[in-house]
């Protein structure tokens, strides 16, 4: 016979408190880890952003209030922050939408029941996701080399004698970075879209065909809205990841090519890599902490707005 906890009375209150205390005991190691690994570094970064802590004031730093934020928005660092912010947003948006569009098209093709070898194609197309990202990115660095890279060699074989300056020209460097990011990101989006497509009932398409709808109308009115609704939360998280995609940028170009008028950021640097350079190359800890806080605010705001507009927070009865 199972013993039930009394719902009322003194004994019920005592038993509930005892069970709550036991639950907190189990949760304490995880809560302590979150406090040390996550909360304290965030608080420390916020505090540093309000001081003049840098290589010139390591032991005698002081509280300067909003001075660092004013320097970023209207002072000497504004010519660093705003161009890098613009490129970061473009990089994140184009990479996310490009990966999603590529993954959606491939998912629709692979979801065709008449394609008997679709499992083979899925196995091949998932390779960029299965490979360790570091190895894949370094391979792309070699492919994008202007002198002996595989892409330029392929263009030469096709009769194009021009060496595309993938790593030395600002436009082509940014284009190459986006191509790499889309190549690395489309397998994940393809699997997300495949899951969404398989969740759509065939009854919708049968009803649409009875009403005389074309394949494009079915895609526009049924496939795209339903897959998008299912995948929006994952697309938003991918956008946030691309916004802070430090690894791809730094391992391929290290932020280059360099800007003549900017010592902190190159043409392909995003806010995350600029923050890294401010910390490790220039020892401007106060500015890097300010950039980190601003990145958190920007990404959090974008995420909240997108999730609110997409209805991801709405509960379904």
């Amino acid at each position: 016979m199972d013993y039930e906890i009394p719902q009322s009375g003194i004994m019920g209150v005592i038993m509930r408190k005892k069970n709550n205390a036991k639950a907190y005991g189990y949760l304490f190691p995880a809560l302590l880890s979150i406090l040390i690994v996550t909360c304290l570094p965030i608080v420390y970064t916020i505090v540093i952003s309000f001081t003049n802590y840098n290589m010139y004031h390591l032991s005698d730093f002081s509280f300067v209030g909003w001075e660092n934020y004013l320097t970023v928005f209207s002072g000497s660092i504004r010519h660093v922050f705003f161009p890098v912010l613009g490129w970061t947003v473009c990089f994140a948006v184009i990479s996310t939408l490009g990966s999603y569009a590529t993954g959606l098209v491939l998912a629709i093709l692979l979801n065709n029941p008449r394609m008997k070898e679709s499992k083979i194609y899925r196995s091949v197309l998932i390779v960029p996701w299965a490979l360790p990202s570091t190895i894949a990115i370094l391979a792309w660095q070699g492919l994008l080399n202007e002198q002996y890279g595989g892409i330029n060699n392929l263009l030469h074989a096709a009769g194009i004698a021009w060496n595309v300056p993938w790593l030395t020209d600002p436009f082509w460097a940014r284009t190459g970075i986006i191509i790499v990011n889309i190549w690395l990101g489309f397998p994940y989006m393809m699997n997300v879209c495949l899951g969404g497509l398989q969740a759509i009932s065939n009854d919708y398409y049968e009803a649409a065909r009875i009403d005389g709808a074309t394949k494009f109308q079915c895609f526009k009115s049924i496939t795209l809205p339903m897959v998008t609704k299912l995948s929006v939360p994952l697309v938003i998280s991918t956008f946030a990841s691309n916004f802070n995609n430090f690894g791809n940028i730094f391992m391929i170009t290290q932020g280059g090519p360099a800007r003549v008028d900017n010592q902190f950021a190159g043409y392909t640097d995003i806010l995350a890599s600029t923050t890294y350079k401010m910390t490790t190359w220039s020892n401007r800890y106060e500015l890097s902490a300010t950039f980190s806080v601003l990145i958190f605010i920007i990404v959090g705001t974008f995420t909240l707005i997108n999730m609110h507009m997409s209805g991801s927070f709405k509960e379904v009865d």
Side-chain angles (χ1 to χ4, degrees):
M1 180 176 179
D2 296 333
Y3 175 74
E4 295 182 359
I5 299 176
Q7 298 297 319
S8 59
I10 298 177
M11 288 300 298
V13 174
I14 294 174
M15 293 300 295
R16 283 195 295 273
K17 287 185 176 181
K18 185 180 294 186
N19 285 333
N20 289 340
K22 185 183 296 185
Y24 286 126
Y26 289 125
L27 290 173
F28 179 76
L31 295 175
L32 182 63
S33 300
I34 293 172
L35 175 66
I36 296 174
V37 177
T38 303
C39 297
L40 289 182
I42 292 175
V43 173
Y44 179 74
T45 301
I46 295 174
V47 171
I48 291 297
S49 69
F50 289 99
T51 68
N52 63 346
Y53 182 70
N54 54 41
M55 63 182 300
Y56 305 107
H57 301 281
L58 292 176
S59 59
D60 59 340
F61 64 92
S62 59
F63 182 79
V64 296
W66 297 97
E67 182 178 332
N68 294 327
Y69 293 90
L70 294 176
T71 301
V72 170
F73 287 111
S74 60
S76 59
I77 306 299
R78 69 181 185 278
H79 69 280
V80 177
F81 178 75
F82 288 107
V84 173
L85 174 62
W87 158 239
T88 304
V89 173
C90 292
F91 168 75
V93 170
I94 296 174
S95 297
T96 304
L97 293 181
S99 300
Y100 185 75
T102 306
L104 178 60
V105 171
L106 292 173
I108 292 173
L109 294 175
L110 294 175
N111 197 49
N112 188 345
R114 299 177 182 177
M115 185 183 292
K116 303 300 182 182
E117 64 277 10
S118 62
K119 292 182 179 180
I120 299 175
Y121 292 142
R122 291 183 192 182
S123 302
V124 174
L125 291 171
I126 207 174
V127 167
W129 193 21
L131 284 174
S133 59
T134 303
I135 296 175
I137 293 170
L138 292 177
W140 270 100
Q141 186 185 41
L143 290 172
L144 294 172
N145 188 276
E146 184 175 348
Q147 301 300 325
Y148 56 81
I151 296 178
N152 281 348
N153 289 338
L154 183 63
L155 294 176
H156 293 165
I160 302 174
W162 180 50
N163 281 335
V164 180
W166 293 108
L167 302 178
T168 56
D169 181 79
F171 172 78
W172 289 109
R174 289 178 171 180
T175 303
I177 288 291
I178 290 174
I179 291 173
V180 174
N181 219 39
I182 291 175
W183 184 82
L184 290 171
F186 84 83
Y188 172 73
M189 291 299 183
M190 182 183 70
N191 281 275
V192 169
C193 293
L194 274 171
L197 289 172
Q198 292 171 3
I200 301 175
S201 174
N202 288 327
D203 296 339
Y204 295 110
Y205 296 104
E206 292 176 1
R209 283 193 292 269
I210 292 173
D211 291 337
T214 63
K215 290 184 178 180
F216 178 75
Q217 289 174 330
C218 289
F219 170 78
K220 181 181 177 182
S221 302
I222 301 175
T223 305
L224 186 60
M226 298 191 73
V227 171
T228 302
K229 185 176 181 180
L230 292 171
S231 57
V232 159
L234 298 175
V235 173
I236 293 172
S237 65
T238 302
F239 171 82
S241 176
N242 285 327
F243 198 92
N244 292 312
N245 200 339
F246 166 80
N248 293 6
I249 299 288
F250 200 77
M251 282 193 285
I252 293 177
T253 64
Q254 291 193 340
R259 293 175 182 263
V260 178
D261 59 341
N262 195 330
Q263 61 173 325
F264 294 113
Y267 281 100
T268 58
D269 269 317
I270 59 175
L271 288 174
S273 59
T274 303
T275 303
Y276 172 81
K277 288 182 177 180
M278 282 184 172
T279 304
T280 59
W281 293 12
S282 303
N283 297 324
R284 296 299 301 270
Y285 305 114
E286 82 286 15
L287 291 179
S288 61
T290 305
F291 269 52
S292 299
V293 173
L294 293 175
I295 291 171
F296 174 77
I297 293 173
I298 293 169
V299 174
T301 302
F302 270 122
T303 303
L304 287 175
I305 291 174
N306 289 330
M307 284 190 170
H308 178 74
M309 292 179 64
S310 63
S312 300
F313 288 153
K314 294 181 181 178
E315 296 184 3
V316 180
D317 296 333

